[in-house]
Amino acid sequence: MKPFTLNPALVKGEVILQARNVSKVYGSTHALKGVNFEIRRGEVTTLFGENGAGKSTLMKILSGVVTPTDGEILLQGEPKVFHSATEARDCGISIIHQELNLAPNMNVRDNIFMGREIRHAGGVDFAEEARITRHLMASLEEDIDPLTPVENLRLGQQQIVEIARALSVNARILIMDEPTSALSAAEVAVLFQVIRDLTSQGVAIVYISHHLEEALEITDRAVVLRDGVMTAWARRDEIDLEWIVRNMVGDHFDLGAPPQGYDFGPPALTVNALTVQSKTGIRLVDALSLSVQAGEIVCIYGLMGAGRTELLECLAGRLTPQSGQVLLQDTDLAGLSVSQRIRIGLALVPEDRQRDGLVQTMSVGENLSLASIGAFVRGLVLSRRREKQLIDDTIRNVTVKTAGGEAAIGSLSGGNQQKVVIGKMLATRPKVILLDEPSRGIDIGAKAEVFRLLAENARKGLAVVYTTSEVGECLSIAHRIVVMSKGRIAAIFDASVSKERIMAASGESLVA
């Protein structure tokens, strides 16, 4: 295919890529319904919408991953049909997918150049690939060795590798689907500077994010999709946060409030002087003590590296502490495995739902019943009737939007996949549920549904502990906000605290 060449006559703001009356049908599901969408040279166009609104489907069409059922794609005014992502990439279009698409057993260099290796007379030019990889990492202000296995990187660093891979193809049209979902505030600031540099060079950016305030900072134009239909579009100076939320989910919306009108029960989870160290001896959690009562919702807030994830993974049995004690009610959890902790009432919803929360080859129902499978087995016989009853009840209780338990887990939106992970753990009837960034990569409407679900279960006596890196989510349903910094508790607040005090306690400054 002839390589894509940007027309030098084009100026900032002129349309480069256009979707005209594009529709996409999957069986009985109409993912897109006659959408018209434009991408402009040197500008950031932000696409807003709830999970399942059709955002990712539209981006996959524009990047050649899927073909539209109807409508056409125009590249610099000429009709274009992409039969693969490779063809789109050859035309200068690159995409950073919402879910990480890396090979964890390969190193950073090989992930970036997989399928398009640099070659010379002797074979693959690994030295040149490593040089380019180091340059990309430096531009993103990450000190990551090109030969580091991806599986050894934390989630935010893996996201950086995904971004670096997209940047490495020198795309003129770059689609970013939730690029900051696992990034720290400092990493987001670096990415935004990269975006500004790219647009100054004429690169057109499509930006999708559920972090609404963050997206407003970088966008030039905004488009809203709702149920596969474009419902609103405007320039940056014509919109605000209220405009986005109103067009996404309607006028009456909030993330909830701490459930009231009942008394907390006795301590459900007690942590005494817990210490977790890295392989190099760094204290990730440093002599931390905390108690959570039955029916109480506690939010743990902190910047990247504060120790939030390590704390929850240690409590759930995924990490071994160097010292300290963890009690579930009166039971000491020392020496108990993850599955044993689940059986006695301690459940974890992990941060990375794709890697740790779901089995992609299983159906929605099989994922939902997986953690409770022992309850349906008698001898060597599995009671399909009881399993189906649990699946149907859980789909209804956690409001999963699906064609049924037999549907493929990959057919669900990110928000509904997250509800499956939460529903799977709630089905084990826990006394304490731990949720690590439960709203990562889901839209504002799905966030509200997840928080509402947690509040309802807290009223029934469930102790809820969730982490977040979004300060606004601290002030939703939490009765108490615990701020962590460098592995320790820096402050504890009630629900009346301000955003400024939470951020100050974490060591973060509030940017106007």
Side-chain angles (χ1 to χ4, degrees):
M1 176 178 287
K2 182 181 178 181
F4 170 70
T5 302
L6 185 67
N7 184 347
L10 283 174
V11 298
K12 179 179 173 66
E14 290 198 65
V15 176
I16 296 180
L17 188 64
Q18 183 179 14
R20 183 181 291 173
N21 297 319
V22 166
S23 297
K24 183 62 181 178
V25 178
Y26 296 98
S28 60
T29 302
H30 290 255
L32 294 174
K33 307 167 187 175
V35 169
N36 293 287
F37 183 74
E38 296 177 343
I39 301 173
R40 296 171 180 267
R41 182 179 190 267
E43 290 191 356
V44 178
T45 301
T46 302
L47 186 56
F48 294 105
E50 294 188 87
N51 287 105
K55 306 185 302 298
S56 293
T57 300
L58 176 58
M59 294 305 102
K60 287 176 181 178
I61 288 173
L62 294 178
S63 60
V65 178
V66 300
T67 56
T69 305
D70 199 6
E72 62 179 350
I73 305 300
L74 303 178
L75 182 62
Q76 293 189 170
E78 297 182 6
K80 183 70 67 174
V81 177
F82 299 128
H83 297 98
S84 69
T86 301
E87 287 189 11
R89 189 182 68 202
D90 290 341
C91 288
I93 304 168
S94 184
I95 183 170
I96 301 168
H97 292 283
Q98 177 180 0
E99 303 297 348
L100 295 179
N101 192 25
L102 301 172
N105 61 322
M106 295 171 63
N107 63 39
V108 172
R109 177 201 65 199
D110 292 346
N111 266 278
I112 288 177
F113 288 96
M114 184 166 46
R116 50 184 191 85
E117 291 79 6
I118 299 174
R119 296 186 177 274
H120 54 30
V124 178
D125 191 345
F126 292 116
E128 178 62 9
E129 289 184 356
R131 185 192 68 79
I132 295 173
T133 300
R134 280 191 291 270
H135 174 74
L136 288 166
M137 291 298 112
S139 69
L140 293 167
E141 297 186 16
E142 282 287 338
D143 185 20
I144 299 175
D145 188 288
L147 300 184
T148 303
V150 164
E151 62 188 357
N152 291 349
L153 302 176
R154 59 176 172 78
L155 189 60
Q157 291 175 314
Q158 292 182 21
Q159 186 77 67
I160 292 291
V161 173
E162 190 82 67
I163 293 167
R165 182 165 63 183
L167 296 177
S168 70
V169 302
N170 295 318
R172 307 308 298 171
I173 300 167
L174 182 56
I175 299 167
M176 297 183 166
D177 193 352
E178 290 287 345
T180 66
S181 59
L183 302 187
S184 68
E187 289 167 335
V188 171
V190 172
L191 177 61
F192 279 10
Q193 186 55 54
V194 170
I195 289 174
R196 293 184 182 101
D197 291 343
L198 290 171
T199 53
S200 71
Q201 299 166 26
V203 177
I205 306 283
V206 181
Y207 190 89
I208 300 175
S209 179
H210 295 311
H211 300 283
L212 305 186
E213 293 174 326
E214 171 191 287
L216 279 174
E217 180 183 337
I218 198 68
T219 192
D220 294 301
R221 297 174 186 267
V223 174
V224 180
L225 277 180
R226 191 171 183 178
D227 296 326
V229 177
M230 187 181 295
T231 58
W233 55 92
R235 290 194 57 83
R236 172 63 185 90
D237 56 6
E238 300 171 336
I239 67 173
D240 56 15
L241 193 61
E242 182 182 349
W243 180 92
I244 298 170
V245 174
R246 183 175 67 252
N247 283 289
M248 279 179 58
V249 297
D251 292 315
H252 305 293
F253 175 82
D254 63 69
L255 282 178
Q260 304 294 331
Y262 64 96
D263 294 327
F264 297 151
L269 178 70
T270 304
V271 182
N272 293 318
L274 190 69
T275 296
V276 180
Q277 291 184 359
S278 69
K279 293 179 181 178
T280 58
I282 297 172
R283 288 196 170 193
L284 306 172
V285 179
D286 190 0
L288 185 144
S289 297
L290 179 68
S291 179
V292 183
Q293 295 175 264
E296 185 181 18
I297 302 176
V298 172
C299 171
I300 299 178
Y301 176 81
L303 304 178
M304 194 72 72
R308 297 169 295 137
T309 294
E310 291 80 5
L311 171 62
L312 263 57
E313 292 194 342
C314 182
L315 297 178
R318 297 182 66 178
L319 294 177
T320 302
Q322 271 58 50
S323 60
Q325 181 186 48
V326 180
L327 300 175
L328 181 68
Q329 295 179 335
D330 296 324
T331 302
D332 193 329
L333 302 185
L336 296 186
S337 66
V338 173
S339 59
Q340 289 172 325
R341 295 181 195 217
I342 291 173
R343 280 198 294 272
I344 64 172
L346 180 63
L348 170 67
V349 175
E351 179 183 16
D352 190 339
R353 61 175 172 267
Q354 295 296 327
R355 185 187 67 188
D356 301 325
L358 298 170
V359 179
Q360 299 298 325
T361 55
M362 288 185 171
S363 67
V364 170
E366 289 169 333
N367 271 283
L368 281 169
S369 64
L370 187 60
S372 307
I373 200 72
F376 314 124
V377 177
R378 293 293 181 271
L380 298 177
V381 180
L382 174 67
S383 173
R384 293 294 183 185
R385 181 187 61 80
R386 293 179 62 200
E387 182 186 22
K388 184 178 185 304
Q389 185 64 55
L390 177 135
I391 291 169
D392 292 344
D393 289 347
T394 304
I395 288 174
R396 182 177 62 255
N397 293 339
V398 302
T399 62
V400 179
K401 295 178 183 177
T402 176
E406 299 78 20
I409 192 67
S411 68
L412 270 57
S413 67
N416 282 292
Q417 288 184 8
Q418 183 71 337
K419 284 195 254 182
V420 168
V421 180
I422 294 172
K424 174 180 70 174
M425 302 320 300
L426 288 176
T428 66
R429 301 182 182 277
K431 302 178 179 72
V432 177
I433 188 166
L434 312 170
L435 305 101
D436 195 2
E437 292 274 12
S439 67
R440 188 179 78 83
I442 65 176
D443 65 73
I444 195 166
K447 286 181 186 181
E449 291 182 5
V450 166
F451 287 152
R452 191 178 305 117
L453 176 67
L454 296 176
E456 289 173 357
N457 279 273
R459 288 183 179 278
K460 299 173 185 177
L462 178 66
V464 177
V465 180
Y466 71 94
T467 72
T468 184
S469 55
E470 290 190 50
V471 69
E473 293 179 6
C474 297
L475 304 176
S476 54
I477 60 167
H479 298 106
R480 271 194 301 158
I481 297 101
V482 175
V483 181
M484 286 188 67
S485 178
K486 299 179 180 178
R488 296 188 173 192
I489 293 178
I492 298 179
F493 301 110
D494 62 25
S496 64
V497 68
S498 67
K499 289 183 179 181
E500 290 81 359
R501 291 188 67 195
I502 294 173
M503 296 175 76
S506 73
E508 184 177 4
S509 61
L510 186 64
V511 179

